[in-house]
Amino acid sequence: MANLKSDSLAFSLHGAAHAVAQVRSGTALPEALAYVFSQTDTPAQARGAMQDIAYRTMRHLGRAEALIALLANKAPEPPILHGLLCSALALISNPADTPESAPYDDFTVVDQAVTAAASNPDMAHAKGMVNAVLRRFLREREQLSQEVAKNPVAVWNYPTWWIDTCKAAYPRDWQAILHAGNGLPPLTLRVNRRKTSIAAYLQTLASGAINARQIGPDAVRLDQPVPVLQIPGFSEGLVSVQDAAAQLAAPLLDVQDHMRVLDACAAPGGKTGHLLEYADVDVVALDNDPRRLKRIEENLQRLQLNATLQVGDASARDWWDGRLFDRILADVPCTASGIVRRHPDIRWLRRKGDAIQLATLSAQILDNLWQMLSPDGKLLFVTCSLWPQESEAQAAAFEVRNQARRLPAPGQLLPTSTQQDDHDGLYYALFQKPSI
C-alpha cells in the first residue's frame, strides 16, 4: 500500500480486502481492521472509509461470493484477491431495494480496484482478471442478478444453515428478521439520568441541529449517526452509546440503593454504567479478559462512576469472596445472532454447532452464579441470541434445575427498526431465589 495515496479509494479497498480476507480465515472484523490499521500509517478519514467498505462487504458477502463464482473461472487466490473482488462487488452490485446508497461511481470502483491489485505484489498478476470480472459484471448486471436471485445465500447474505435455523425458529417472521439484520444500525444513546433528563438532552440536540427522538425510558435515537466524539455531552458523561434493547437490563433488575450487585461477563460495560446511573449500588464488574475490563474502567471514568473491577471466569468461583449478591446480571456468552446488524461478520464466523456449545457453557455460568445470589435476590439472564436453545429453552431448563421463581420479563425481543421501536434482538428472563 506504500505507493497508494491514503485518500484514494484504492487505498481503502486494499485495506478492506485485507480485513475481509482475515474474517474469512476466522478473525472478527474489528480485530481484523485493527490489525490493518496497525500495519499502515492510516489517517482517520481513510480508516473510516476502510471500515465502511469492510462492513458493507460483510452485509453483502453472500451475494458477492455468488457473483464471483459466476464471473471467475477459478477461485481467486490469494485470499486478499478474493477480499478485493468481494469488496468491489459489494460497492457496485447492491440490488435496488438495499437500504444503502452507492457511495462511489461504478467505473471509479473498477478503476480503483485494479489500481489496488496492481499495488500489491501478491495481486499484481491478477489486475487484468480484476478488471475483466468487474467490467463483465457491469455489462451483464441484469442477467447475473437474475441468476444469483436463485441462490438463498446470495439473496439473504447469510449462510444456508443460518437461514434454515431462522426459518425453523420463526416460521412467520424469518424474512423480517433476516432483513433487519442486513440493515444499518442506528445510533442510540442512553441519557444519564444522574446528570440530565431526556427532555433537556433532546433540547440540547435540537440546539445543535441534531434531529433525534425518544425510543425508551432513557433511550434517544439520532436520525443520522455522527462520530461519537461529536455527540453533545458524550465526553462529559451526559450520554452513552447503547442499543435500546440493552437498556432494559437495569430497570428489570430493580436495583435499589446500597444493594450489592454482580455484573457478570460485564465488558464493555454499558450495562454496568446503567446500573450505577440507576441507584447507589455496590457493583462488581466481572470479566475474564483484563483488556476488556480496561474498557469498562474508561467508560466509568467518563461517567464519573465507580465499580469494583474483577478479573475472573463467571463459570468458576476462585475470584469470589463468598459474600452473596442481592442482584446478578448474567449477560452470558452466546452466538450473538441478534446483533448482526451491528456485527455483520458474526454470521460468517459462526458455525451451526456453536449454539449448542455456547448454551452448555452458559448453563454452567447460570448455575454457578445462582449459588452466589442471596435469598429473595434476583438474577437477570440476558442473551443477544435469537436461537431458542440459547434463550427460552435455556431459561426453562434453568428454572427447573434450580427451582427458581420466574418473574415477568420481555422474553425474546426480535430485531426491529421502526419509528417507534428500533433495537437489536435480545432475550430477557428474570428469576428470584426462594427465601430460606
Side-chain angles (χ1 to χ4, degrees):
M1 297 174 66
N3 58 340
L4 294 174
K5 293 183 178 180
S6 62
D7 61 350
S8 69
L9 176 57
F11 184 88
S12 298
L13 276 168
H14 192 282
H18 262 296
V20 171
Q22 288 187 52
V23 170
R24 277 327 232 163
S25 68
T27 303
L29 184 55
E31 284 72 27
L33 285 167
Y35 175 79
V36 172
F37 297 158
S38 72
Q39 299 301 300
T40 59
D41 184 16
T42 309
Q45 184 173 356
R47 290 186 178 204
M50 280 184 197
Q51 180 171 296
D52 288 346
I53 293 170
Y55 272 82
R56 178 188 290 258
T57 303
M58 290 298 105
R59 288 191 290 270
H60 298 277
L61 189 61
R63 180 179 174 85
E65 291 187 335
L67 287 169
I68 290 172
L70 293 174
L71 290 165
N73 294 327
K74 59 181 181 179
E77 288 289 345
I80 189 176
L81 177 60
H82 174 267
L84 178 64
L85 286 172
C86 287
S87 298
L89 285 167
L91 291 174
I92 64 176
S93 71
N94 293 352
D97 62 350
T98 181
E100 299 174 272
S101 59
Y104 307 99
D105 174 80
D106 287 350
F107 290 101
T108 298
V109 173
V110 175
D111 174 73
Q112 292 295 286
V114 173
T115 300
S119 73
N120 186 306
D122 293 332
M123 294 192 290
H125 70 281
K127 64 179 183 180
M129 186 268 275
V130 171
N131 184 62
V133 164
L134 297 180
R135 288 186 180 275
R136 182 184 165 196
F137 169 76
L138 295 181
R139 289 194 308 270
E140 303 176 19
R141 183 196 302 263
E142 184 174 347
Q143 178 184 346
L144 290 165
S145 297
Q146 291 175 355
E147 186 66 25
V148 297
K150 303 172 186 177
N151 180 349
V153 174
V155 172
W156 293 106
N157 289 290
Y158 296 85
T160 300
W161 73 264
W162 189 298
I163 298 170
D164 292 344
T165 302
C166 197
K167 283 182 179 180
Y170 305 100
R172 294 184 179 181
D173 300 315
W174 69 271
Q175 291 180 316
I177 292 169
L178 296 179
H179 182 73
N182 284 329
L184 296 174
L187 180 53
T188 304
L189 306 176
R190 184 188 75 241
V191 176
N192 185 348
R193 55 175 54 204
R194 285 183 177 267
K195 294 191 173 185
T196 187
S197 66
I198 285 275
Y201 188 70
L202 286 173
Q203 183 57 49
T204 297
L205 292 176
S207 65
I210 299 176
N211 296 324
R213 66 177 65 88
Q214 181 176 359
I215 60 170
D218 298 319
V220 168
R221 180 194 186 279
L222 303 191
D223 287 357
Q224 296 294 330
V226 300
V228 170
L229 294 180
Q230 295 180 20
I231 298 172
F234 178 83
S235 298
E236 295 77 21
L238 267 64
V239 292
S240 298
V241 177
Q242 188 180 36
D243 182 75
Q247 294 187 34
L248 298 177
L252 279 169
L253 259 183
D254 184 33
V255 290
Q256 306 294 328
D257 289 351
H258 313 304
M259 281 184 171
R260 178 170 160 82
V261 181
L262 173 64
D263 184 1
C265 313
K271 297 181 181 70
T272 304
H274 201 191
L275 289 167
L276 290 164
E277 290 169 7
Y278 240 76
D280 291 320
V281 289
D282 176 13
V283 174
V284 175
L286 177 73
D287 202 273
N288 61 5
D289 188 339
R291 294 169 299 177
R292 287 165 60 85
L293 281 176
K294 183 66 176 177
R295 291 185 60 189
I296 299 178
E297 182 180 18
E298 293 168 353
N299 283 330
L300 293 180
Q301 287 176 349
R302 182 179 59 82
L303 295 170
Q304 299 178 324
L305 296 168
N306 295 295
T308 300
L309 305 183
Q310 177 69 55
V311 178
D313 181 351
S315 66
R317 300 190 198 179
D318 53 358
W319 55 269
W320 183 42
D321 63 6
R323 292 190 294 156
L324 298 175
F325 294 95
D326 301 297
R327 299 285 188 270
I328 295 178
L329 172 58
D331 192 347
V332 298
C334 70
T335 56
S337 50
I339 57 173
V340 290
R341 65 175 179 172
R342 298 189 187 279
H343 304 281
D345 54 315
I346 286 172
R347 68 191 81 182
W348 308 113
L349 294 169
R350 292 299 185 199
R351 297 293 179 263
K352 187 175 182 179
D354 288 350
I356 296 174
Q357 295 178 11
L358 288 165
T360 300
L361 171 61
S362 297
Q364 294 171 354
I365 290 173
L366 291 170
D367 288 346
N368 184 53
L369 296 178
W370 189 249
Q371 306 308 311
M372 304 177 189
L373 186 65
S374 64
D376 289 326
K378 296 177 183 178
L379 181 148
L380 182 63
F381 162 45
V382 187
T383 178
C384 54
S385 176
L386 298 175
W387 310 144
Q389 64 209 97
E390 295 184 277
S391 53
E392 179 54 40
Q394 177 82 278
F398 173 83
E399 181 180 5
V400 172
R401 281 197 313 272
N402 293 282
Q403 298 181 326
R405 178 189 174 198
R406 195 157 177 180
L407 301 177
Q412 186 68 64
L413 298 172
L414 299 180
T416 186
S417 179
T418 67
Q419 292 291 326
Q420 294 75 30
D421 293 304
D422 197 339
H423 56 72
D424 294 336
L426 271 71
Y427 177 87
Y428 286 98
L430 183 62
F431 301 95
Q432 187 167 32
K433 197 169 190 177
S435 59
I436 296 177

